[in-house]
Amino acid sequence: MKWTAKDVDAYHQAKEYVDTALVPCIPIGSTNMKAFAEMSEHTLFITNEVERQFKGRVMLFPPLTYFVQEQIQARVHEWTNVLKQAGFQHVCFVTSHADIADDSFIYVPALPLEHADEAYKQKVVRQQVEQVMDALVAKWTLKN
Amino acid sequence: MSEKKHRVSRRQFLNYTLTGVGGFMAAGILSPMVRFALDPILKEEAGQDMVAVAQVKDITTEPQRFDFKVKVKDAWYESEEPRSAWVFKDEKGDIVALSPICKHLGCTVNWNGDKSNPNRFFCPCHYGLYEKDGTNVPNTPPPAPLDRYEYEVKDGTLYLGKAKPRGEA
């Protein structure tokens, strides 16, 4: 489900089934803008695709946006707490930004795919989508 | 009545012209209104076109996943949306194209996704199960069978249309 009025309605009706929050983390930088823009685009694309496949159990939140100078850990911690209190047992952060990616994130490296051919692009993206999906399934089976 | 005797009086002439012009004006105003009122009836169903998805020779009795894109038109905004289908041939050799969207909450189901339930469609979100023909397995979350795509075969290529709930397709 996405953060839209329509999906939130659906969420209220099926609350007990939606136990996972998916948060893309998007860096903003004043230098090297293009690289950060690529990361954002990539992260959003991957999370969108994961949401499409796991619509019924995952709520895709609007991205957690931060400046690269910022200390992100505290905010991630806070988001996790708030979302857990709201009833999301599993809170997953997805990022393409290598500098912040530690164990609390699912890291999907943004590859320079701008000039790659379509078939290769699709393959890489599909692999990463599957990687995120596997990570979610692993979380689910662990707790159940 | 000869041509010469037929005289048009001034009054008649004005009458004719005014009714004529007035009639045109009334038609000009009314016809769009009538058209608007009838519009919903005349509108052809927003049926999407059939999309080429696969070659018939590639279709086996084992369900395979095919991804394709459909053009979606939302008012003026046109976009391409990815879709998938599980396609296979049943015992009679008929092609079956199932929508992978779980009827429970809309996740994407997988063929043989769960090792303890072989030859079934499996929804990883809430462990919903469907038989090969799309029928939901009782006592799992899904409330209905998987939708089926309308399909068409032309020159060895499979075209898929809309996904419809079973019973309609």
Side-chain angles (χ1 to χ4, degrees), chain A residues 37-101:
Chain A
E38 264 169 8
M39 288 178 198
S40 313
E41 213 178 318
H42 188 73
T43 314
L44 289 175
F45 187 84
I46 299 276
T47 46
N48 259 324
E49 194 56 29
V50 171
E51 187 273 342
R52 191 170 77 89
Q53 309 244 358
F54 282 169
K55 201 180 187 56
R57 190 162 179 180
V58 169
M59 171 68 93
L60 175 62
F61 277 89
L64 169 58
T65 316
Y66 59 94
F67 283 104
V68 280
Q69 297 87 343
E70 231 175 304
Q71 284 302 317
I72 182 76
Q73 292 307 335
R75 284 182 69 194
V76 168
H77 197 69
E78 203 182 321
W79 276 57
T80 313
N81 286 341
V82 172
L83 289 173
K84 282 207 165 150
Q85 269 169 25
F88 293 99
Q89 282 177 41
H90 312 284
V91 184
C92 296
F93 294 89
V94 181
T95 188
S96 307
H97 188 196
D99 297 358
I100 64 155

Side-chain angles (χ1 to χ4, degrees), chain B residues 131-158:
Chain B
E131 300 291 354
K132 188 177 176 182
D133 66 353
T135 321
N136 49 321
V137 175
N139 300 322
T140 63
L146 291 171
D147 289 351
R148 285 184 180 207
Y149 283 105
E150 289 178 324
Y151 73 91
E152 207 171 77
V153 176
K154 236 187 266 165
D155 301 331
T157 309
L158 175 73

Side-chain angles (χ1 to χ4, degrees), chain A:
Chain A
M1 287 168 201
K2 290 189 175 130
W3 193 247
T4 56
K6 194 176 144 223
D7 281 7
V8 169
D9 274 345
Y11 165 71
H12 282 304
Q13 279 174 15
K15 227 173 182 170
E16 68 273 26
Y17 290 111
V18 186
D19 63 353
T20 307
L22 192 65
V23 187
C25 297
I26 303 294
I28 310 173
S30 48
T31 55
N32 208 359
M33 279 185 180
K34 191 173 172 188
F36 291 123
E38 264 169 8
M39 288 178 198
S40 313
E41 213 178 318
H42 188 73
T43 314
L44 289 175
F45 187 84
I46 299 276
T47 46
N48 259 324
E49 194 56 29
V50 171
E51 187 273 342
R52 191 170 77 89
Q53 309 244 358
F54 282 169
K55 201 180 187 56
R57 190 162 179 180
V58 169
M59 171 68 93
L60 175 62
F61 277 89
L64 169 58
T65 316
Y66 59 94
F67 283 104
V68 280
Q69 297 87 343
E70 231 175 304
Q71 284 302 317
I72 182 76
Q73 292 307 335
R75 284 182 69 194
V76 168
H77 197 69
E78 203 182 321
W79 276 57
T80 313
N81 286 341
V82 172
L83 289 173
K84 282 207 165 150
Q85 269 169 25
F88 293 99
Q89 282 177 41
H90 312 284
V91 184
C92 296
F93 294 89
V94 181
T95 188
S96 307
H97 188 196
D99 297 358
I100 64 155
D102 59 15
D103 291 345
S104 49
F105 292 92
I106 302 174
Y107 176 52
V108 283
L111 304 159
L113 292 173
E114 217 178 330
H115 305 294
D117 69 294
E118 198 62 31
Y120 178 71
K121 228 189 255 184
Q122 277 184 3
K123 201 178 135 206
V124 171
V125 167
R126 189 174 304 161
Q127 273 173 358
Q128 291 199 351
V129 170
E130 269 165 23
Q131 180 204 334
V132 177
M133 282 171 29
D134 287 347
L136 289 180
V137 170
K139 274 185 188 242
W140 293 342
T141 42
L142 210 67
K143 279 235 176 137
N144 280 321

